[in-house]
Amino acid sequence: MMKKIPTISESEWEVLKVLWKKAPLTANEIISTLAVETDWKPKTVRTLLDRLTKKEVIGVHRDQRVYTFYPLYSQDECQRAKAKSFVKRFYDGTLQSMLVQFIQDEDLSENEIRELRSILDKKENKK
């Protein structure tokens, strides 16, 4: 069984996105990358790195003079955990309720409808 992924805040998620694109990275490289997208101070980013390390979501290479950080979970693993948490919190764990709401509320193109049908057909055929 896979280890449960800890809860990741929106700010922590931004740090992880940087690491998923290119890891390992130093704290300064992460700070520089996030400076383009946010107005966070370096201390804020270092705090987020510390939190993610304590949660064991990211790892640290300490064998070098400058520490480098790397993700311990893939982006896909974290997205799946976040999606499950979302469905549980807002739809009482019922995926069907969420899907019905999104499908009814969104204007879907013919191509999107075909793609959804294809996904459902593949899922049905696996059973």
Side-chain angles (χ1 to χ4, degrees):
M1 187 172 166
M2 197 173 96
K3 188 173 151 186
K4 186 178 183 290
I5 298 172
T7 302
I8 301 167
S9 72
E10 294 303 316
S11 299
E12 293 166 343
W13 194 265
E14 293 303 314
V15 172
L16 278 170
K17 287 195 308 190
V18 171
L19 287 170
W20 285 321
K21 286 181 187 170
K22 185 179 178 185
L25 293 170
T26 66
N28 286 338
E29 290 170 327
I30 296 167
I31 290 165
S32 296
T33 302
L34 287 170
V36 175
E37 303 167 16
T38 68
D39 59 354
W40 297 344
K41 304 283 186 234
K43 185 172 173 144
T44 301
V45 177
R46 288 183 190 278
T47 298
L48 293 169
L49 289 168
D50 187 48
R51 284 186 198 161
L52 287 166
T53 302
K54 285 180 181 171
K55 289 181 180 184
E56 297 181 349
V57 175
I58 64 173
V60 184
H61 289 295
R62 292 187 167 99
D63 55 337
Q64 303 161 0
R65 203 179 105 237
V66 177
Y67 291 177
T68 56
F69 298 87
Y70 58 94
L72 296 174
Y73 296 97
S74 70
Q75 186 170 2
D76 185 58
E77 289 172 311
C78 289
Q79 286 173 333
R80 287 179 190 278
K82 191 116 174 147
K84 284 181 183 180
S85 171
F86 175 80
V87 170
K88 185 176 181 182
R89 219 176 13 201
F90 294 103
Y91 294 95
D92 294 326
T94 308
L95 183 61
Q96 180 182 353
S97 299
M98 183 195 77
L99 291 173
V100 167
Q101 181 177 355
F102 279 108
I103 290 170
Q104 288 176 343
D105 291 350
E106 293 296 317
D107 291 329
L108 299 173
S109 70
E110 288 297 321
N111 191 40
E112 290 169 323
I113 292 170
R114 275 193 299 276
E115 189 174 341
L116 285 171
R117 280 195 180 115
S118 173
I119 292 167
L120 290 171
D121 288 344
K122 286 178 189 173
K123 187 78 169 172
E124 188 175 58
N125 290 336
K126 283 185 178 179
K127 291 183 178 181

